[in-house]
Structure formats: structure tokens, C-alpha cells
Amino acid sequence: MGKKIEWYLDFVNLEYRPRDEIIALYYFEPREGVSKEEAAGRIASESSVGTWTTLPGMPEERIRKLMAKAFDIDGNFLKVAYPLELWEEESIPQLMTGVAGNIFGMKAVESLKLLDVKLPESYLEGFKGAIYGRDAPQKIFRKRHNLITSTVIKPKVGYTAEEHAEIGFQIMRGGIDCIKDDENLTDQSFNKFEDRVRLMAKVRDKAEEETGEVKDAFINVTAPNLRELERRIKLIHEYGFRYFMIDVVISGFTAVQTATDLAKDYEMAIHAHRAMHAAFTRKNHGISMLVVAKLMKIMGVDQIHIGTVVGKLEGRKEEVAAIKEMLLRRNVDEIPHLRLDQDFHHIKGILPVASGGLHPGILPDVFDIYNLRRDPLVIQVGGGVLGHPDGPYAGAKAVRDAIDAYFDGVSLERKAEESPELRRALEKWGHLKPV
Ligand code: CAP
Ligand code: MG
């Protein structure tokens, strides 16, 4: 059988040097009996124009121009270059159908993880990015420093809209900027979306009146369809909120691009919750959190959860740091095997959100990890406020006092001498790092 029946190795060219193209960085483990070149060719083929066999009738010249090229194999790390003509302008969903589509199911690889995607200016120019992004502490909250604080009400769901709003009011009075819906609170019978928006607007205004500070809420617009998503965003806007929140991974890229378009119309900021990301970001098979965060930045969310390192949820320090820098900066350098270099051009820096298992006793650790004295941050403390022995107001005040202590360069124990709320928080949790 002389005739070639497959053409995978045509997609491998280790001499190739990419021009103005999209470059993907993968971690890959070929299956037993498949060479790295054969696996690389299959990845480049299946993510661009190829299939399992040769195609005698294809328009050779035109298709060869669209072929992806596996051009760099470094151990288990692979770089693939994709011609820009492969991609629809301004469509992240369509980008993912290629660089993160069928390839994860190929038998030729035991594991495959998309680690980063480098996007040239000619691809980025159709995207607007975030309105406020890293400037939100000043532009929305008129803060002198770089920190936005938030509390998600706990238990996650179960309170009525009235109870939710009353607890939210106590927390905002206690010194927290925003009340966040939990990722699974949307429009349940016991806490209807419309009721929560209406009642939260009332207590937001009362708390602003009482504190003289800007208060807001990250109300969850995650919805069963795009029409309902739009209706929820519109209602939140009508009640004067500056933000809305969406579960971006669960909602999907089309919903996120719809939400970011609407946010531009209403000049609103978006809090991106990443629930479900750990189904594919944790191990050596799937998509890195860095890719998820980069795409959200380009689509135009203003802030996204990326981990705490010291809290209850997984997230290695070097990975969190690499993602944080990518979110905040106009451009970042390559970190071999972790992050490609990227110039974001006109796309604004956005805020990292540190959340998950936090309480006053470990806030200084998180602030150091995020270099808060230099860089802006959103901190979210849920159980660490609602679990305070003296109630939500005291819980919020304990967090606020811990933050003040950090900016004043004072230890928590020293600050606790003048803050009974902080002292009681330290008595309950000390410096516990929850697992
Ligand atoms: C935190 C949280 C957030 C997690 C999400 C929760 O609550 O509300 O959803 O932070 O994880 O439901 O666990 P606590 P990540 O403050 O009570 O832990 O930020 O890693 O995406
Ligand atoms: Mg949550």
C-alpha cells in the first residue's frame, strides 16, 4: 500500500518561525507507541483543517495556507502556530472550537492541556476589553487605595430576599464595599431575583447614606438563556447598580460576550465568578486558568477570581502570580512552560479577585502574595464574615480593621487591642489556613 493515507506530519515544521499568527502553548503526553511528532501533527491538524486521512479532492493551495504548524517541541511542551484566516473576528467561542476543541479527545494523547494562547494585535483589535478594569477602586469606589472588599452571604443559598438584604445592609454598614451573590444563587423560589435586586438597592442606598461610602452588589445574572440574561442585566442597571456578576465558565463564552456587550451599553462593571473551572484547570488535561482569565480580560470582564494560595481552594503560588500579572499589565513576558509573552495593546488591565476560605487572620498573607501596596485587588470574604461569633456587622468590621492594620503597617494582634471585633475573629480562627 504505497499511497499515503494520512498527512499528519505535514502539520509539523520545526524550522517554521511564526509571523502574525495565533500561537498556542500545550502540555502533551503522547500515548504509548505514538511519537511526539506524530502527536504534535495530530494536535495541529485536528485543531485547524485536517482529519484522520488524506483528502484527494481538496483545494491544495488554499488549504495549505490555513494549516496550523507544530513548530516547537520542548519535552512535553508544544507550540502551534495558527494562521489568522482560520478565525472569525471577535468570536472567542469560535477560537475555542479550534485551540480547545476536538483535540482533547484524541486517542493519540494520554493528556493534553492548553496552557496559553498568544493573540496578535490584528486579532485583538476587534475586542474592546473592560470599561473600568484595574481603575475600579478609584473610578467606582473613589478609593484612596487599591482594594475593593466584598462579602458573599453564607449559607450560599437559603435566605429570603428580605433576610439577604438585611444581612447585606449590616455587612455594608460594617465597612464592606459590595455584597456578592453566591455562584448558585440566581432566581430560587425563596429568593426571587427581582425581589433581591429591589431590596438590595434599598439597603445599598441606606448604607451609602450612613457611611458616606460607595456601596454596590455583585448580583448574579447567570440565566437559562440569553434573553433572560439580558433582562436580568437590564433590571440591575435600572436599579442603579454599577456591577453585575456572572458565572462565566458555566454560562459559556457566548453568554459572556453577550454580557460584556450589554455592560458597554449600560456602562456597567462585570464581576466574573469562575465556578466549574476546576473541572478542567487543575491537572494535566484540559485548559489552564491562565487561558480562561486571559480570554475573560479580552472579552471585557472587569474582575475575575484567580485564587488565594492560602485559602480553601487549589491554586499554586507561581500560577496565581503569573495570572495576576497577565490580568493587570499591558504586556507580560514569557514564563517557559507556564505563560507566553503577550502584548494586550488597547485592552485594559483588569482586577484579580482573591476569594475562598479567607478570614481576617490570613488577610495579611493574601495581601503580601498580591503585593497590595503596589497593585489593585478585589478581596472576597464570605464565611470569614458570616462566621464571626458576634454576627455580620462585627464580621465586616473585623475584616475592615484587619485591612486598615495592613495599610497602617500594624500587626493584627496590635490592632485587635483596639478592635473587639477583630479580637473575636482572631480568637475563633487565629491564622488558620482552611483546607
Ligand atoms: C467563597 C465562595 C467563592 C469561592 C470561589 C465559595 O466563599 O463564595 O465561590 O471563593 O472559588 O462559595 O466558596 P468563602 P475561587 O469566602 O466562604 O470561602 O475564588 O477559587 O474561584
Ligand atoms: Mg461561592
Side-chain angles (χ1 to χ4, degrees):
M1 183 175 51
K3 199 106 181 65
K4 200 162 86 159
I5 64 162
E6 54 83 3
W7 54 316
Y8 287 124
L9 291 179
D10 292 10
F11 290 82
V12 180
N13 178 347
L14 302 181
E15 306 307 312
Y16 182 73
R17 288 299 161 259
R19 301 178 310 280
D20 188 32
E21 300 176 80
I22 286 182
I23 294 171
L25 170 66
Y26 294 98
Y27 171 84
F28 74 130
E29 290 175 16
R31 78 182 280 173
E32 191 74 26
V34 174
S35 74
K36 284 192 176 154
E37 285 73 16
E38 287 169 332
R42 281 157 175 73
I43 293 165
S45 163
E46 191 60 45
S47 56
S48 60
V49 295
T51 188
W52 63 275
T53 186
T54 48
L55 305 165
M58 76 177 187
E60 194 77 21
E61 192 186 338
R62 186 184 331 139
I63 298 307
R64 287 200 171 273
K65 281 201 187 112
L66 288 173
M67 285 168 68
K69 289 159 205 69
F71 68 93
D72 182 328
I73 298 176
D74 169 13
N76 286 96
F77 295 88
L78 165 66
K79 291 181 183 175
V80 179
Y82 296 89
L84 279 176
E85 295 75 16
L86 266 176
W87 312 108
E88 176 185 351
E89 290 178 3
E90 301 164 51
S91 174
I92 296 299
Q94 191 270 341
L95 173 70
M96 297 303 271
T97 63
V99 299
N102 286 356
I103 50 178
F104 295 120
M106 295 187 315
K107 286 181 180 170
V109 289
E110 288 297 339
S111 303
L112 177 65
K113 186 167 191 177
L114 175 61
L115 298 178
D116 199 357
V117 188
K118 179 178 175 182
L119 302 164
E121 184 172 14
S122 41
Y123 182 82
L124 290 177
E125 61 196 12
F127 292 91
K128 300 187 186 73
I131 302 176
Y132 303 95
R134 59 171 295 158
D135 300 332
Q138 289 74 35
K139 285 207 171 150
I140 295 180
F141 294 94
R142 299 199 299 274
K143 290 281 182 87
R144 282 178 295 95
H145 57 61
N146 269 332
L147 183 67
I148 297 173
T149 57
S150 155
T151 286
V152 63
I153 291 179
K154 300 285 179 177
K156 288 175 179 274
V157 297
Y159 282 123
T160 64
E162 293 73 13
E163 292 163 338
H164 182 103
E166 178 48 32
I167 292 165
F169 176 58
Q170 294 308 324
I171 293 167
M172 287 188 282
R173 285 184 62 233
I176 296 290
D177 301 321
C178 282
I179 303 304
K180 177 184 171 296
D181 283 358
D182 227 325
E183 65 278 359
N184 56 341
L185 179 60
T186 53
D187 185 30
Q188 284 94 323
S189 56
F190 48 78
N191 189 331
K192 296 302 288 176
F193 178 82
E194 287 79 356
D195 295 339
R196 187 161 73 253
V197 174
R198 176 173 46 80
L199 293 168
M200 280 304 298
K202 270 198 192 132
V203 298
R204 173 203 65 207
D205 295 346
K206 256 172 67 184
E208 288 193 336
E209 182 76 26
E210 183 177 314
T211 63
E213 296 175 348
V214 175
K215 302 292 180 184
D216 213 88
F218 304 149
I219 298 176
N220 191 0
V221 298
T222 302
N225 59 62
L226 295 180
R227 265 192 286 269
E228 181 57 17
L229 174 77
E230 179 162 4
R231 190 186 72 83
R232 293 182 185 182
I233 294 170
K234 187 165 177 291
L235 188 72
I236 290 175
H237 173 65
E238 285 167 357
Y239 276 89
F241 289 100
R242 293 99 175 170
Y243 277 89
F244 62 84
M245 160 188 160
I246 178 170
D247 295 330
V248 290
V249 175
I250 282 165
S251 299
F253 296 108
T254 297
V256 174
Q257 286 199 241
T258 303
T260 53
D261 276 358
L262 290 164
K264 297 283 176 301
D265 296 348
Y266 296 135
E267 293 187 2
M268 293 181 81
I270 301 177
H271 180 96
H273 194 292
R274 61 173 181 170
M276 194 169 79
H277 76 92
F280 52 78
T281 57
R282 273 187 89 165
K283 304 291 180 196
N284 280 340
H285 184 80
I287 303 168
S288 73
M289 183 60 213
L290 186 128
V291 167
V292 174
K294 177 185 271 192
L295 297 176
M296 295 299 154
K297 173 177 179 178
I298 289 159
M299 287 188 280
V301 308
D302 294 80
Q303 51 203 50
I304 182 166
H305 291 236
I306 64 165
T308 65
V309 182
V310 294
K312 69 186 181 187
L313 298 155
E314 179 75 10
R316 287 179 301 123
K317 190 168 182 179
E318 59 280 359
E319 190 183 9
V320 170
I323 299 172
K324 171 213 160 189
E325 291 302 315
M326 179 279 297
L327 288 179
L328 285 169
R329 310 290 177 234
R330 279 256 188 247
N331 48 64
V332 286
D333 297 332
E334 178 168 10
I335 301 174
H337 307 160
L338 182 60
R339 184 183 74 192
L340 294 172
D341 63 297
Q342 177 69 57
D343 185 338
F344 285 99
H345 300 284
H346 65 289
I347 302 283
K348 194 183 195 66
I350 67 169
L351 291 172
V353 177
S355 170
L358 299 183
H359 58 84
I362 53 173
L363 287 183
D365 302 81
V366 179
F367 295 157
D368 285 345
I369 289 166
Y370 275 90
N371 200 343
L372 177 59
R373 287 197 176 82
R374 185 193 66 180
D375 291 323
L377 174 67
V378 179
I379 196 91
Q380 191 294 122
V381 185
V385 166
L386 280 298
H388 191 285
D390 302 330
Y393 174 88
K397 187 156 181 321
V399 167
R400 183 71 178 253
D401 290 345
I403 292 166
D404 290 348
Y406 187 80
F407 281 119
D408 297 342
V410 165
S411 74
L412 293 177
E413 283 68 21
R414 172 73 192 72
K415 184 72 180 182
E417 290 166 14
E418 61 192 63
S419 164
E421 297 83 359
L422 179 55
R423 180 171 51 74
R424 294 273 283 160
L426 293 176
E427 282 168 1
K428 178 168 182 179
W429 296 303
H431 301 274
L432 165 78
K433 291 179 179 155
V435 175

